């Protein structure tokens, strides 16, 4: 019985240590969510106004450009998937991967080849384990992405959309990331970055149905779109990285809180079992003492006779 009590005590110590770790990770994630939310809010005005500018240029000119002109028969698409570098975040990365899988299946059903671009070690590991080809991948900054990271990710995508399909380029750019709705809700979503849908852009900027002013473009509308193309892609990717980072921290905080609560429940259960084992051990010792005393009393009475 003593051995069983030692097992329970050892398990309680182990679970208590685990609880301290999960509680610390919960608090760290909670503190990082606030910073991530501020970055998301700070990036929204720039992204909105940039989309508004692109919409104005595209509406006010007849220039055919990769930013706004859809190919009649698109043959290849690029999909950018944003996951996390670290685990212990519940279903955060797996939900984004599932969304990317659904998007890939839909694009292939439309007869398009799909090139995968991955952000985060979880996505890279998923594709690597299944021996799938990845055009390019980036890791090491999903916790706290900077605009320089977004530029680094956007560069090969911009090059791909500007290259002819026959030479290895793509006709469409899609992105899969986790949208931060609230502390309790984060949704894996996908969207087409390029070519830009003017109706969708109007909805995002709140200018649908609004009459845009007329512009004169110097030197030309095409040159303006050439200058706006990298800025637009970078801003969309940066906003998606920030929302994914906020979602990752929120998912990790929720997962660690659940782990901490489960550890507390397990400690209570083990403590009850340890108390029961201790009581059983004490009862057994008392029974042995009483039995020994009775045996000695019987032996003494026999010798007196």
């Amino acid at each position: 019985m003593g051995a069983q009590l030692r097992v329970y005590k050892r398990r309680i110590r182990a679970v208590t240590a685990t609880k301290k770790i999960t509680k610390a990770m919960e608090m760290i994630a909670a503190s990082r969510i606030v910073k991530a939310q501020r970055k998301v809010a700070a990036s929204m005005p720039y992204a909105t106004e940039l989309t508004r500018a692109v919409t104005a240029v595209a509406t006010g000119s007849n220039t055919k450009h990769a930013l706004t002109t859809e190919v009649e028969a698109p043959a290849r698409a690029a999909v950018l998937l944003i996951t996390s570098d670290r685990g212990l975040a519940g279903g955060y990365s797996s939900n984004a991967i599932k969304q990317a899988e659904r998007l890939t299946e839909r694009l292939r059903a439309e007869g398009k080849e799909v090139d995968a671009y991955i952000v985060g070690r979880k996505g890279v590991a998923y594709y690597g384990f299944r021996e799938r080809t990845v055009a390019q991948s980036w890791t090491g900054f999903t916790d706290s992405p900077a605009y320089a990271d977004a530029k680094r990710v956007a560069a090969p995508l911009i090059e791909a959309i500007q290259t002819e399909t026959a030479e290895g380029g793509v006709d469409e750019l899609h992105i899969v990331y986790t949208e931060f709705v609230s502390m309790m809700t984060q949704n894996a979503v996908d969207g087409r970055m390029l070519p830009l849908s003017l109706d969708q852009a109007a909805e995002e900027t709140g200018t649908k149905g609004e009459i845009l002013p007329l512009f004169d473009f110097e030197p030309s509308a095409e040159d303006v779109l050439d200058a706006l193309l990298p800025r637009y892609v970078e801003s969309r990717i940066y906003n998606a990285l920030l929302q994914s980072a906020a979602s990752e921290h929120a998912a990790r905080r929720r997962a660690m809180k659940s782990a901490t609560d489960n550890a507390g429940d397990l400690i209570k259960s083990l403590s009850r079992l340890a108390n029961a084992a201790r009581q059983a051990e004490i009862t057994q010792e008392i029974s042995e003492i009483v039995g020994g005393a009775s045996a000695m009393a019987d032996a003494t009475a026999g010798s007196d006779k």
Side-chain angles (χ1 to χ4, degrees):
M1 192 60 67
Q4 188 66 33
L5 181 60
R6 286 194 295 272
V7 170
Y8 287 138
K9 288 184 176 180
R10 185 165 56 248
R11 291 190 62 188
I12 289 173
R13 287 195 297 269
V15 176
T16 301
T18 302
K19 182 181 178 181
K20 291 179 180 178
I21 295 172
T22 56
K23 184 64 177 178
M25 293 183 68
E26 176 190 348
M27 296 175 66
I28 292 171
S31 66
R32 290 179 176 176
I33 293 173
V34 178
K35 296 179 182 179
Q37 283 181 292
R38 290 174 182 170
K39 288 184 178 181
V40 172
S43 71
M44 290 302 295
Y46 176 77
T48 301
E49 289 303 319
L50 187 57
T51 304
R52 185 187 180 95
V54 171
T55 304
V57 176
T59 305
S61 68
N62 296 322
T63 302
K64 291 186 177 181
H65 194 273
L67 187 60
T68 57
T69 305
E70 296 191 24
V71 179
E72 293 184 0
R76 181 176 295 168
V79 174
L80 174 63
L81 168 62
I82 299 177
T83 61
S84 66
D85 286 323
R86 299 187 295 125
L88 301 177
Y92 164 75
S93 292
S94 60
N95 290 337
I97 291 172
K98 290 176 183 176
Q99 188 69 22
E101 292 284 84
R102 288 191 288 267
L103 173 61
T104 300
E105 291 177 2
R106 186 169 72 246
L107 293 174
R108 285 175 177 166
E110 296 172 358
K112 303 170 186 173
E113 296 181 20
V114 178
D115 293 342
Y117 294 80
I118 312 295
V119 173
R121 292 189 178 92
K122 291 298 179 181
V124 173
Y126 178 87
Y127 277 70
F129 180 76
R130 286 157 182 79
E131 298 182 352
R132 297 182 183 177
T133 302
V134 176
Q136 199 159 341
S137 62
W138 303 266
T139 60
F141 54 81
T142 59
D143 277 354
S144 182
Y147 194 81
D149 300 317
K151 292 184 67 173
R152 191 153 50 93
V153 174
L157 294 170
I158 295 171
E159 182 180 355
I161 197 69
Q162 291 177 331
T163 304
E164 294 293 333
T165 309
E167 299 176 2
V170 298
D171 300 315
E172 296 178 353
L173 292 183
H174 296 262
I175 186 170
V176 179
Y177 65 99
T178 305
E179 181 184 23
F180 182 84
V181 180
S182 67
M183 295 287 285
M184 298 302 297
T185 306
Q186 301 87 40
N187 299 323
V189 297
D190 66 81
R192 192 181 73 178
M193 284 193 294
L194 295 177
L196 176 65
S197 172
L198 297 183
D199 291 337
Q200 179 183 352
E203 289 181 1
E204 292 178 356
T205 56
T207 58
K208 190 171 185 179
E210 180 182 332
I211 299 176
L212 297 174
L214 296 176
F215 292 94
D216 289 329
F217 304 108
E218 292 291 344
S220 66
E222 185 175 1
D223 291 333
V224 173
L225 288 173
D226 284 338
L228 288 177
L229 173 61
R231 305 287 86 78
Y232 171 76
V233 175
E234 290 166 7
S235 68
R236 284 290 300 272
I237 292 176
Y238 183 52
N239 183 262
L241 288 171
L242 292 177
Q243 292 212 46
S244 295
S247 299
E248 178 185 349
H249 294 316
R252 182 169 291 112
R253 186 200 67 82
R254 192 168 60 250
M256 292 301 99
K257 184 180 186 307
S258 178
T260 301
D261 294 342
N262 291 339
D265 293 340
L266 183 55
I267 290 172
K268 291 179 182 178
S269 177
L270 291 172
S271 297
R272 285 194 294 268
L273 292 173
N275 291 335
R278 185 182 299 109
Q279 291 170 0
E281 184 178 354
I282 293 172
T283 302
Q284 182 178 354
E285 290 178 356
I286 292 174
S287 299
E288 291 175 353
I289 292 171
V290 172
S294 298
M296 290 178 64
D298 292 342
T300 303
S303 62
D304 291 341
K305 292 179 179 179

